[in-house]
Amino acid sequence: MPAETPTATAAENVSVTGWGRTAPSAARLVRPRTYAEAVTAVRDCGPRGGIPRGLGRAYGDAAQNAGGAVIDLTGLDRIHVIDAADGSVLCDAGVSLHRLMEVLLPLGWFVPVTPGTRYVTVGGAIGADIHGKNHHVSGSFARHVLSFELLMADGTIRTVEQGTDLFDATAGGMGLTGVVLTARIRLQPVGTSLMSVDTERAADLDDLMARLTAGDHRYRYSVAWIDLLARGAATGRAVLTRGEHAPLDALPARARRAPLAFRPPRLPAAPAFLPNGLLTRTTVGLFNELWYRGAPRARTGELQSLSAFFHPLDGVPHWNRVYGRDGFVQYQFVVGYGQEDTLRRIVGRISARRCPSFLAVLKRFGDADPGWLSFPRPGWTLAVDIPAGLPGLGAFLDELDEEVATAGGRVYLAKDSRLRPELLSAMYPRLDDFRALRAELDPRGVFVSDLARRLNFQESP
């Protein structure tokens, strides 16, 4: 990284919220355009500290900092080196996965892990240690990061290698160890920009789990949409979608002319203001019924675009507005294999409560990742979007947290907005190690967020 002379960075006072649009807080937003400006931003954070932020796709308060600084890294967006022989890329932390796909796909490379949106930055992907539909095969994002440069609380910059304590604390550390400036990432080779997709319907949750367990080893990518308004014998009915990158010989002749083309569609944005109450049990129930009935009972080898398979909601900018002014909570947890009864109980409780959720997905995780606060562990993970204004939602989710913690599971910090701090250490056994390293590297608490305050990350071990 070239040396630069520190410069002043403009700032503005803004109201900041997560993608769920709940609990906004006022902060001073700083947008560094150079590494030197990022250093200055950290040194000038002030008594309330600062937190790095990417494209704002953390659902809760992980990239908010009430009364302090929020450091917007999207201005650091250069792709420095693409090593075709090594299959790696060196880029700034503010580069989005969307931009990487635009540049890398024509060269026959794909990002190793992508979540349900491509509009996340590389720095955010490391800080949240994101996972995708391929965790059972490929693990989380940080497993494919070879090294990164980290701006520390004292303004120095360290090169952090895989396998070190600082690497493992930063992967999943929600930006609380420092500001990632650049990263070197191992890539996935692909022959086309299309997916070969198999789809099938599952009659209930047990049928779904049996299909996932029996067949996931045959696919790189696997995910199931669940109808959480279905009850009785149909509780947990689902549409299971699994796929692989399509080889060139699977494409029709016309598509072979540009097999690596990447042209994701864009639909009109959701209106800026939508009334509460659009997503009711009736409207969501109708959507879920149509979605389930419209899916094929069994279909193999369908060709889909990358955007349709991985990021269908990205085609609608600001889709989070459909939940109205109150916003929404995305509740995601994981419980280990052998805890299927816990999963059944939670799915049954959500269904019985008639939570109007049309976005609910179940996946299987593979081996645990080395990040001290990384979310994935071997087991079942369920993610559910629920309107935040639903009466009694907080108490209901608190009860689910207790079930998850008792079963040895955890909730995903990148999506959390309301977990009680006393459950954190039970869910994340390396929490004390994380706190101790932070206390050593950042004794003044320069890096802090609303999430860190809410969950008492500043506590001494």
Side-chain angles (χ1 to χ4, degrees):
M1 186 179 69
E4 297 174 349
T5 302
T7 58
T9 305
E12 58 179 316
N13 295 320
V14 297
S15 178
V16 183
T17 186
W19 190 247
R21 304 176 75 220
T22 59
S25 59
R28 183 168 51 89
L29 187 69
V30 188
R31 294 187 176 93
R33 301 293 177 182
T34 66
Y35 305 131
E37 287 185 357
V39 172
T40 301
V42 168
R43 288 176 172 166
D44 294 347
C45 275
R48 293 285 288 180
I51 192 70
R53 182 181 176 93
L55 287 167
R57 291 304 179 105
Y59 284 72
D61 52 3
Q64 298 174 217
N65 183 23
V70 171
I71 305 170
D72 182 336
L73 273 296
T74 56
L76 299 179
D77 60 355
R78 290 170 292 181
I79 297 175
H80 297 283
V81 179
I82 300 170
D83 189 331
D86 184 49
S88 66
V89 61
L90 173 65
C91 64
D92 284 347
V95 174
S96 70
L97 299 192
H98 172 81
R99 179 59 180 154
L100 284 181
M101 291 176 196
E102 285 185 323
V103 172
L104 296 172
L105 273 167
L107 304 177
W109 299 101
F110 189 59
V111 294
V113 172
T114 177
T117 175
R118 60 187 178 273
Y119 294 110
V120 298
T121 62
V122 166
I126 295 170
D129 200 11
I130 59 171
H131 57 271
K133 299 176 182 180
N134 60 339
H135 189 275
H136 62 292
V137 172
S138 302
S140 62
F141 190 86
R143 196 180 296 185
H144 306 272
V145 176
L146 302 172
S147 64
F148 53 78
E149 289 181 303
L150 190 68
L151 172 56
M152 310 299 294
D154 61 2
T156 62
I157 297 171
R158 295 190 186 184
T159 298
V160 183
E161 301 286 344
Q162 202 176 63
T164 62
D165 282 354
L166 185 53
F167 188 104
D168 291 344
T170 302
M174 307 311 298
L176 297 173
T177 60
V179 178
V180 176
L181 295 177
T182 69
R184 190 161 62 96
I185 305 159
R186 184 84 66 189
L187 302 171
Q188 168 70 34
V190 294
T192 75
S193 60
L194 293 176
M195 301 295 297
S196 176
V197 181
D198 294 352
T199 305
E200 56 191 290
R201 291 198 318 220
D204 56 35
L205 182 60
D206 283 340
D207 182 28
L208 173 61
M209 288 193 290
R211 291 170 186 261
L212 285 165
T213 301
D216 264 8
H217 66 280
R218 299 195 300 268
Y219 298 88
R220 180 176 294 274
Y221 303 99
S222 176
V223 67
W225 168 89
I226 296 184
D227 180 3
L228 288 179
L229 283 175
R231 292 184 292 179
T235 298
R237 69 178 182 177
V239 178
L240 174 57
T241 307
R242 295 183 283 202
E244 296 281 355
H245 295 281
L248 185 62
D249 59 11
L251 272 57
R254 184 175 181 180
R256 293 183 196 180
R257 299 172 190 168
L260 292 166
F262 179 60
R263 293 184 288 270
R266 294 279 281 180
L267 300 174
F273 299 102
L274 286 170
N276 290 325
L278 289 180
L279 298 181
T280 66
R281 294 183 179 109
T282 300
T283 58
V284 174
L286 177 61
F287 171 87
N288 287 2
E289 181 71 22
L290 293 173
W291 190 262
Y292 180 77
R293 297 296 177 188
R297 291 184 181 274
R299 180 174 60 199
T300 61
E302 180 191 14
L303 293 178
Q304 293 183 8
S305 67
L306 289 170
S307 55
F309 182 76
F310 289 109
H311 316 119
L313 287 175
D314 280 350
V316 183
H318 304 295
W319 62 263
N320 56 338
R321 295 173 180 169
V322 303
Y323 289 89
R325 294 178 184 273
D326 290 340
F328 70 102
V329 172
Q330 179 160 112
Y331 185 69
Q332 183 168 7
F333 68 90
V334 58
V335 292
Y337 296 122
Q339 293 293 331
E340 286 76 14
D341 282 346
T342 300
L343 178 62
R344 291 185 186 98
R345 279 195 304 273
I346 292 177
V347 168
R349 292 186 65 178
I350 296 173
S351 298
R353 203 173 189 276
R354 308 289 286 158
C355 294
S357 174
F358 70 93
L359 286 175
V361 296
L362 183 73
K363 293 182 289 195
R364 294 172 74 250
F365 280 157
D367 293 341
D369 298 293
W372 291 354
L373 297 184
S374 291
F375 169 65
R377 52 156 295 178
W380 304 94
T381 180
L382 178 69
V384 187
D385 284 0
I386 306 174
L390 198 67
L393 179 62
F396 176 66
L397 294 181
D398 284 347
E399 293 173 1
L400 298 190
D401 289 342
E402 294 283 356
E403 285 216 48
V404 169
T406 300
R410 59 184 61 146
V411 301
Y412 192 14
L413 297 180
K415 296 181 178 179
D416 176 58
S417 59
R418 25 76 42 212
L419 179 69
R420 301 196 315 276
E422 58 267 26
L423 291 179
L424 190 63
S425 59
M427 293 181 172
Y428 289 91
R430 299 297 302 270
L431 178 63
D432 283 348
D433 294 329
F434 181 82
R435 284 172 169 161
L437 185 63
R438 284 193 71 224
E440 175 188 341
L441 297 176
D442 184 9
R444 295 185 297 114
V446 171
F447 297 115
V448 66
S449 65
D450 290 354
L451 177 142
R453 292 190 184 94
R454 175 169 57 82
L455 294 178
N456 296 334
F457 271 96
Q458 291 295 114
E459 274 190 3
S460 299

